[in-house]
Structures are given as C-alpha cells and as structure tokens.
Amino acid sequence: MPIAFGTRTRVLAAATTAATLIALAGCSNADSGSPAASGPQKVVLMNWGALEGSPLEPVLKQFTADTGIQVEYQFAASGSDYWPKTRAVLGSNNPPDLMRIDDDFLPYYASTGKLQDLRDDISSAGMKAGDYYDAVYKSTVQDDGSIPAWSLGIQPRVIFYNKKMFKEAGVPAPPTTWSGKGWTWDDFVKAAQKLTIKDKRWGADVVDDSAFETLYSVNNGGEGRWTKDGKGFALADPPGQEAVQWVADLTCKYGVQPAWSELSQNGRGAEMFAAGQIGMIERASSFVDYFRTNAKGFDWDVAPVPAGPADQITQGNQLVFAIPKAAANKDAAWKLLQYLTTAKGADQFAKAGAFVPGLKSSAQLAGKPAAGKPPANISLVLGAADHSFRSGRVENIEEAIGIYRPALDPVKNCQAKASDVLPKVKPDVLSTINP
C-alpha cells in the first residue's frame, strides 16, 4: 500500500487531483565547489507523495549540492491512483529516470522486463549484504537473482498510543521493548475496553491499516496473505480467517473500534487519534512525523504490535525505487539511488524519523529519541525492523486485491463472517494469481 516519506504530506496529498512538477533548485558545481559530475546533469524522479515539507526534500537538495546533478521531482498521483500511472509511464517511450514502485507490485513490474537490473551497479558500488538489514537488502531480489529495484528502507508497523488516556483509565503502559509479555491479543482488547468511553472515544483502531491482513494472520500461525511460493491465497485459510475476524470484532464484538464506515474515509483514523478520540492506533512508523505535527494536548508513544497465539511480528512497507530501461538518464538515476541508500542520504532520513534505513549504520540513528519530541520509545521502531515479516510474492496482486478486499467490507461492517466470505472468493483469487 502506498506510503509517503512524510505522512503529513501523504494525508494532505490524497485530496490533490493534479500532478505537480517541481524543479529542485540546488547549488551548481561552480557554487558548491564540487567536482563536475560526469554524464547527464539532470534526473527526473517520480513519486506518489508531495515533496514540500517531506524528509525527501532536504536530501534531494543536498544531493544536488554534492553532485551538481539537478533533480526534477514529479508528484504523479497519490494513493491507488499511482498504480495505473506506474503502468502508463513504464509502457511509454519517455519514462522518468527514477520512480517509486509499490513494493507489493514489484514482481509484476519485474516480469514486464521494463526495469533495469541493478545487480552490477550494486556490486560495483561495494554495497555489501552484511551492511544492510536482510529484510531490506533481499526485499527486491527476484527468484532469478535479478534486482529490478532497490529499497531505501522499511516503515514497520507499530502501535501508537495516547499516554494521557492510558493514565486516566488506569491502564498499564505497553512494553517498552519488543516483547509480548503482558501484551497479547487478549491484553490489547482489555486495554481497549478500558480506554473506550461510549459516544466519546474509542480504545483502538486497526482495521483501516491494510497491513493487518498480513501481520495478524502470521501471528495467528498463518502465512500472511499469500503462501510462500506465491501460488496460494493464505488469508483464506483458517489462521487468516480468524485474524481478519479478530480485527473486525474490535468493532463488531468488543465495541472498541470505530465503525468501518467512518474509518474507511481516507486519513480519518489518524485524524481521530491526533484529536484524542482513539487510544491506540496501528500505523507505519512514518506517522511519527504526522503525529508530532498534529497530535496536540497529550503525550504519546509507540509500542509493539500485540503478540498473537503463534508469534509477534510486524509488517513493513519497503520504500522501493526502480530505474526504467527506457530512462534517458540511467547513470544519473543510479547516482541518486545510491546516494539515497548509502550514508549521505540514509543518515538524513534516519535523523528525520522518516523510516528505518536499510543501511544498519544509518538505521541506528533512527532509534535515538529526538530532544523534546515524542515518541520516547522510538527505539522500538528500530526493533520492529528486525521483527518484520516478508510475505510470499504474486505477480497479479492488484487484480487479486480488487477481488478479495471489497468482499471483506461486509465483514468489517459486521454484516458477515470472514469464515464465510474468504472461502467464497478464494477460487477467483487463485485463478487470478495462477493464470
């Protein structure tokens, strides 16, 4: 699912209907004193989030200052509108030089043969697997060994919680380390029940973060959405059914989660948490920036996702970028991608709390609290990167999502059971992922 570098800009950008093209002004070679860069002096970068105010903006400006290469930033679309835009530009004769790729859809885009294989570039640059988190370094490697894209890092899911609300309700704080002790599914429900005040506030919000489909299924002993070989729809198996139902029952059975009709509105859950109307919310770590800006009148922190009957893992979005084979400035694009994924760029991202960089040395900076700013336990985000699950891959994922996710709406709306819905859609999903 698309997640921007700066979640504040992501939430605002969702309402934007026009594409925005921004030329980054930077120091020229003469201004910066940097040696002249060889090859093209401009690279076009396409992304799904607005640039202004995001952690990416200062990094791109510094890249220009260091290399003399200008970056032309193209905000192509937001949310799911970015998917057809990606297909369109890859099918054109004039694609951007570097573009964000939804990590879920990378196997499909790789199968088209339209992305540059980066194996030789990575090897020549001396970027070694041992220097990176395994979950990041291997995230874009395909079954044939090709590397059609490269990940900047990971945005793992954590639980954001309202410390003031916990104190007022007499609820013990969640663990401050990646632990399930006193923090199981049952503990989570009990805490949410104590935090909930009917018609005033809710204890929890999980259902509007689609990552729940993977992480709660795995923590219940399943394989996530897909089987490891990418040929099966694991979410429709009993552990997946039970996990989906547990999430829906936070609303339908326990009454601690707002109705799906409200949470399905884009950005609504985050707005409610920031307004002090939700006690706990599951979100990607990128929401640190959004809540620092928008959560007023209370202190907040982060906690691990609750431990399920089988495990306690989380799911993280990979920030994946690719160079199209038809790109005009491939050399400049690789220089930018290398900059973003090595110390010069990764250190800046880590300090901004944008995500956990794949580069381990830079990632350590992401685990250090910012003076006077929440969350105090931001080191949990770093720990979450070590507890992230990588699910099986399927090529036709967009079509499959279009089948099963709308079918889950009645479950989320308390009108059907996951055990009835998921087996019914399983044959259509299987025929889509195994054409």
Side-chain angles (χ1 to χ4, degrees), residues 258-278:
W260 174 240
S261 58
E262 181 168 15
L263 290 177
S264 60
Q265 302 172 40
N266 190 45
R268 180 59 179 153
E271 292 173 354
M272 292 178 71
F273 179 84
Q277 297 171 334
I278 291 176

PDB file of all heavy atoms in Angstrom, residues 258-278:
ATOM      1  N   PRO A 258     -13.950   2.289  16.051  1.00  0.00           N
ATOM      2  CA  PRO A 258     -14.991   2.978  15.279  1.00  0.00           C
ATOM      3  C   PRO A 258     -15.511   2.135  14.123  1.00  0.00           C
ATOM      4  O   PRO A 258     -14.833   1.215  13.656  1.00  0.00           O
ATOM      5  CB  PRO A 258     -14.276   4.235  14.766  1.00  0.00           C
ATOM      6  CG  PRO A 258     -13.155   4.455  15.721  1.00  0.00           C
ATOM      7  CD  PRO A 258     -12.711   3.079  16.135  1.00  0.00           C
ATOM      8  N   ALA A 259     -16.677   2.464  13.650  1.00  0.00           N
ATOM      9  CA  ALA A 259     -17.290   1.738  12.539  1.00  0.00           C
ATOM     10  C   ALA A 259     -16.440   1.887  11.282  1.00  0.00           C
ATOM     11  O   ALA A 259     -15.824   2.933  11.042  1.00  0.00           O
ATOM     12  CB  ALA A 259     -18.702   2.252  12.292  1.00  0.00           C
ATOM     13  N   TRP A 260     -16.441   0.843  10.470  1.00  0.00           N
ATOM     14  CA  TRP A 260     -15.695   0.853   9.222  1.00  0.00           C
ATOM     15  C   TRP A 260     -16.166   1.971   8.306  1.00  0.00           C
ATOM     16  O   TRP A 260     -15.382   2.559   7.563  1.00  0.00           O
ATOM     17  CB  TRP A 260     -15.817  -0.500   8.531  1.00  0.00           C
ATOM     18  CG  TRP A 260     -15.209  -0.570   7.157  1.00  0.00           C
ATOM     19  CD1 TRP A 260     -15.840  -0.857   5.996  1.00  0.00           C
ATOM     20  CD2 TRP A 260     -13.839  -0.342   6.814  1.00  0.00           C
ATOM     21  NE1 TRP A 260     -14.964  -0.828   4.937  1.00  0.00           N
ATOM     22  CE2 TRP A 260     -13.715  -0.513   5.412  1.00  0.00           C
ATOM     23  CE3 TRP A 260     -12.701  -0.011   7.550  1.00  0.00           C
ATOM     24  CZ2 TRP A 260     -12.514  -0.365   4.748  1.00  0.00           C
ATOM     25  CZ3 TRP A 260     -11.497   0.142   6.876  1.00  0.00           C
ATOM     26  CH2 TRP A 260     -11.414  -0.041   5.494  1.00  0.00           C
ATOM     27  N   SER A 261     -17.440   2.300   8.358  1.00  0.00           N
ATOM     28  CA  SER A 261     -17.973   3.367   7.502  1.00  0.00           C
ATOM     29  C   SER A 261     -17.281   4.694   7.768  1.00  0.00           C
ATOM     30  O   SER A 261     -17.157   5.530   6.870  1.00  0.00           O
ATOM     31  CB  SER A 261     -19.484   3.520   7.715  1.00  0.00           C
ATOM     32  OG  SER A 261     -19.770   3.800   9.076  1.00  0.00           O
ATOM     33  N   GLU A 262     -16.801   4.892   8.994  1.00  0.00           N
ATOM     34  CA  GLU A 262     -16.077   6.122   9.314  1.00  0.00           C
ATOM     35  C   GLU A 262     -14.581   5.972   9.036  1.00  0.00           C
ATOM     36  O   GLU A 262     -13.963   6.865   8.444  1.00  0.00           O
ATOM     37  CB  GLU A 262     -16.287   6.510  10.779  1.00  0.00           C
ATOM     38  CG  GLU A 262     -15.563   7.804  11.162  1.00  0.00           C
ATOM     39  CD  GLU A 262     -15.990   8.360  12.500  1.00  0.00           C
ATOM     40  OE1 GLU A 262     -16.631   7.629  13.275  1.00  0.00           O
ATOM     41  OE2 GLU A 262     -15.695   9.541  12.766  1.00  0.00           O
ATOM     42  N   LEU A 263     -14.012   4.854   9.417  1.00  0.00           N
ATOM     43  CA  LEU A 263     -12.577   4.673   9.260  1.00  0.00           C
ATOM     44  C   LEU A 263     -12.164   4.493   7.808  1.00  0.00           C
ATOM     45  O   LEU A 263     -10.994   4.689   7.468  1.00  0.00           O
ATOM     46  CB  LEU A 263     -12.109   3.476  10.085  1.00  0.00           C
ATOM     47  CG  LEU A 263     -12.142   3.668  11.600  1.00  0.00           C
ATOM     48  CD1 LEU A 263     -11.725   2.389  12.302  1.00  0.00           C
ATOM     49  CD2 LEU A 263     -11.256   4.827  12.033  1.00  0.00           C
ATOM     50  N   SER A 264     -13.091   4.088   6.947  1.00  0.00           N
ATOM     51  CA  SER A 264     -12.748   3.899   5.542  1.00  0.00           C
ATOM     52  C   SER A 264     -12.517   5.221   4.820  1.00  0.00           C
ATOM     53  O   SER A 264     -12.009   5.239   3.699  1.00  0.00           O
ATOM     54  CB  SER A 264     -13.848   3.104   4.828  1.00  0.00           C
ATOM     55  OG  SER A 264     -15.090   3.783   4.884  1.00  0.00           O
ATOM     56  N   GLN A 265     -12.875   6.331   5.451  1.00  0.00           N
ATOM     57  CA  GLN A 265     -12.589   7.647   4.875  1.00  0.00           C
ATOM     58  C   GLN A 265     -11.087   7.908   4.989  1.00  0.00           C
ATOM     59  O   GLN A 265     -10.507   7.766   6.066  1.00  0.00           O
ATOM     60  CB  GLN A 265     -13.363   8.735   5.623  1.00  0.00           C
ATOM     61  CG  GLN A 265     -14.873   8.541   5.626  1.00  0.00           C
ATOM     62  CD  GLN A 265     -15.566   9.524   6.541  1.00  0.00           C
ATOM     63  OE1 GLN A 265     -15.194  10.688   6.598  1.00  0.00           O
ATOM     64  NE2 GLN A 265     -16.573   9.065   7.254  1.00  0.00           N
ATOM     65  N   ASN A 266     -10.466   8.266   3.894  1.00  0.00           N
ATOM     66  CA  ASN A 266      -9.011   8.379   3.836  1.00  0.00           C
ATOM     67  C   ASN A 266      -8.457   9.301   4.914  1.00  0.00           C
ATOM     68  O   ASN A 266      -8.839  10.460   5.019  1.00  0.00           O
ATOM     69  CB  ASN A 266      -8.586   8.887   2.455  1.00  0.00           C
ATOM     70  CG  ASN A 266      -7.092   8.791   2.262  1.00  0.00           C
ATOM     71  OD1 ASN A 266      -6.486   7.784   2.585  1.00  0.00           O
ATOM     72  ND2 ASN A 266      -6.485   9.846   1.743  1.00  0.00           N
ATOM     73  N   GLY A 267      -7.555   8.770   5.736  1.00  0.00           N
ATOM     74  CA  GLY A 267      -6.888   9.564   6.760  1.00  0.00           C
ATOM     75  C   GLY A 267      -7.687   9.797   8.012  1.00  0.00           C
ATOM     76  O   GLY A 267      -7.184  10.419   8.951  1.00  0.00           O
ATOM     77  N   ARG A 268      -8.913   9.283   8.082  1.00  0.00           N
ATOM     78  CA  ARG A 268      -9.786   9.586   9.206  1.00  0.00           C
ATOM     79  C   ARG A 268      -9.261   9.022  10.521  1.00  0.00           C
ATOM     80  O   ARG A 268      -9.310   9.686  11.555  1.00  0.00           O
ATOM     81  CB  ARG A 268     -11.199   9.052   8.924  1.00  0.00           C
ATOM     82  CG  ARG A 268     -12.201   9.308  10.044  1.00  0.00           C
ATOM     83  CD  ARG A 268     -12.348  10.788  10.338  1.00  0.00           C
ATOM     84  NE  ARG A 268     -13.322  11.023  11.382  1.00  0.00           N
ATOM     85  CZ  ARG A 268     -13.313  12.083  12.188  1.00  0.00           C
ATOM     86  NH1 ARG A 268     -12.372  13.018  12.055  1.00  0.00           N
ATOM     87  NH2 ARG A 268     -14.232  12.218  13.118  1.00  0.00           N
ATOM     88  N   GLY A 269      -8.750   7.797  10.527  1.00  0.00           N
ATOM     89  CA  GLY A 269      -8.257   7.205  11.756  1.00  0.00           C
ATOM     90  C   GLY A 269      -7.131   8.014  12.370  1.00  0.00           C
ATOM     91  O   GLY A 269      -7.117   8.257  13.585  1.00  0.00           O
ATOM     92  N   ALA A 270      -6.180   8.444  11.548  1.00  0.00           N
ATOM     93  CA  ALA A 270      -5.060   9.246  12.046  1.00  0.00           C
ATOM     94  C   ALA A 270      -5.552  10.576  12.605  1.00  0.00           C
ATOM     95  O   ALA A 270      -5.059  11.059  13.626  1.00  0.00           O
ATOM     96  CB  ALA A 270      -4.049   9.481  10.926  1.00  0.00           C
ATOM     97  N   GLU A 271      -6.532  11.162  11.947  1.00  0.00           N
ATOM     98  CA  GLU A 271      -7.097  12.419  12.432  1.00  0.00           C
ATOM     99  C   GLU A 271      -7.743  12.231  13.807  1.00  0.00           C
ATOM    100  O   GLU A 271      -7.602  13.075  14.699  1.00  0.00           O
ATOM    101  CB  GLU A 271      -8.131  12.950  11.441  1.00  0.00           C
ATOM    102  CG  GLU A 271      -7.548  13.420  10.121  1.00  0.00           C
ATOM    103  CD  GLU A 271      -8.628  13.782   9.114  1.00  0.00           C
ATOM    104  OE1 GLU A 271      -9.826  13.555   9.421  1.00  0.00           O
ATOM    105  OE2 GLU A 271      -8.292  14.298   8.030  1.00  0.00           O
ATOM    106  N   MET A 272      -8.457  11.125  13.977  1.00  0.00           N
ATOM    107  CA  MET A 272      -9.135  10.867  15.249  1.00  0.00           C
ATOM    108  C   MET A 272      -8.132  10.620  16.368  1.00  0.00           C
ATOM    109  O   MET A 272      -8.322  11.076  17.503  1.00  0.00           O
ATOM    110  CB  MET A 272     -10.089   9.676  15.097  1.00  0.00           C
ATOM    111  CG  MET A 272     -11.275   9.957  14.191  1.00  0.00           C
ATOM    112  SD  MET A 272     -12.358   8.506  13.988  1.00  0.00           S
ATOM    113  CE  MET A 272     -13.110   8.409  15.635  1.00  0.00           C
ATOM    114  N   PHE A 273      -7.050   9.897  16.078  1.00  0.00           N
ATOM    115  CA  PHE A 273      -6.029   9.694  17.100  1.00  0.00           C
ATOM    116  C   PHE A 273      -5.402  11.032  17.482  1.00  0.00           C
ATOM    117  O   PHE A 273      -5.210  11.326  18.662  1.00  0.00           O
ATOM    118  CB  PHE A 273      -4.956   8.728  16.605  1.00  0.00           C
ATOM    119  CG  PHE A 273      -3.855   8.504  17.615  1.00  0.00           C
ATOM    120  CD1 PHE A 273      -3.999   7.572  18.616  1.00  0.00           C
ATOM    121  CD2 PHE A 273      -2.672   9.242  17.554  1.00  0.00           C
ATOM    122  CE1 PHE A 273      -2.990   7.370  19.566  1.00  0.00           C
ATOM    123  CE2 PHE A 273      -1.662   9.062  18.492  1.00  0.00           C
ATOM    124  CZ  PHE A 273      -1.816   8.111  19.507  1.00  0.00           C
ATOM    125  N   ALA A 274      -5.062  11.838  16.479  1.00  0.00           N
ATOM    126  CA  ALA A 274      -4.443  13.140  16.744  1.00  0.00           C
ATOM    127  C   ALA A 274      -5.359  14.051  17.552  1.00  0.00           C
ATOM    128  O   ALA A 274      -4.893  14.907  18.305  1.00  0.00           O
ATOM    129  CB  ALA A 274      -4.053  13.813  15.429  1.00  0.00           C
ATOM    130  N   ALA A 275      -6.669  13.857  17.423  1.00  0.00           N
ATOM    131  CA  ALA A 275      -7.645  14.662  18.155  1.00  0.00           C
ATOM    132  C   ALA A 275      -7.966  14.089  19.532  1.00  0.00           C
ATOM    133  O   ALA A 275      -8.816  14.621  20.245  1.00  0.00           O
ATOM    134  CB  ALA A 275      -8.928  14.788  17.342  1.00  0.00           C
ATOM    135  N   GLY A 276      -7.308  13.004  19.928  1.00  0.00           N
ATOM    136  CA  GLY A 276      -7.555  12.411  21.233  1.00  0.00           C
ATOM    137  C   GLY A 276      -8.821  11.589  21.301  1.00  0.00           C
ATOM    138  O   GLY A 276      -9.346  11.352  22.393  1.00  0.00           O
ATOM    139  N   GLN A 277      -9.296  11.088  20.146  1.00  0.00           N
ATOM    140  CA  GLN A 277     -10.540  10.316  20.115  1.00  0.00           C
ATOM    141  C   GLN A 277     -10.296   8.813  20.014  1.00  0.00           C
ATOM    142  O   GLN A 277     -11.244   8.026  20.100  1.00  0.00           O
ATOM    143  CB  GLN A 277     -11.388  10.770  18.927  1.00  0.00           C
ATOM    144  CG  GLN A 277     -11.821  12.226  19.028  1.00  0.00           C
ATOM    145  CD  GLN A 277     -12.484  12.733  17.752  1.00  0.00           C
ATOM    146  OE1 GLN A 277     -12.223  12.223  16.660  1.00  0.00           O
ATOM    147  NE2 GLN A 277     -13.340  13.736  17.901  1.00  0.00           N
ATOM    148  N   ILE A 278      -9.056   8.397  19.830  1.00  0.00           N
ATOM    149  CA  ILE A 278      -8.687   6.982  19.763  1.00  0.00           C
ATOM    150  C   ILE A 278      -7.465   6.769  20.651  1.00  0.00           C
ATOM    151  O   ILE A 278      -6.511   7.553  20.609  1.00  0.00           O
ATOM    152  CB  ILE A 278      -8.377   6.550  18.321  1.00  0.00           C
ATOM    153  CG1 ILE A 278      -9.662   6.549  17.474  1.00  0.00           C
ATOM    154  CG2 ILE A 278      -7.725   5.173  18.282  1.00  0.00           C
ATOM    155  CD1 ILE A 278      -9.440   6.223  16.013  1.00  0.00           C
TER     156      ILE A 278
END
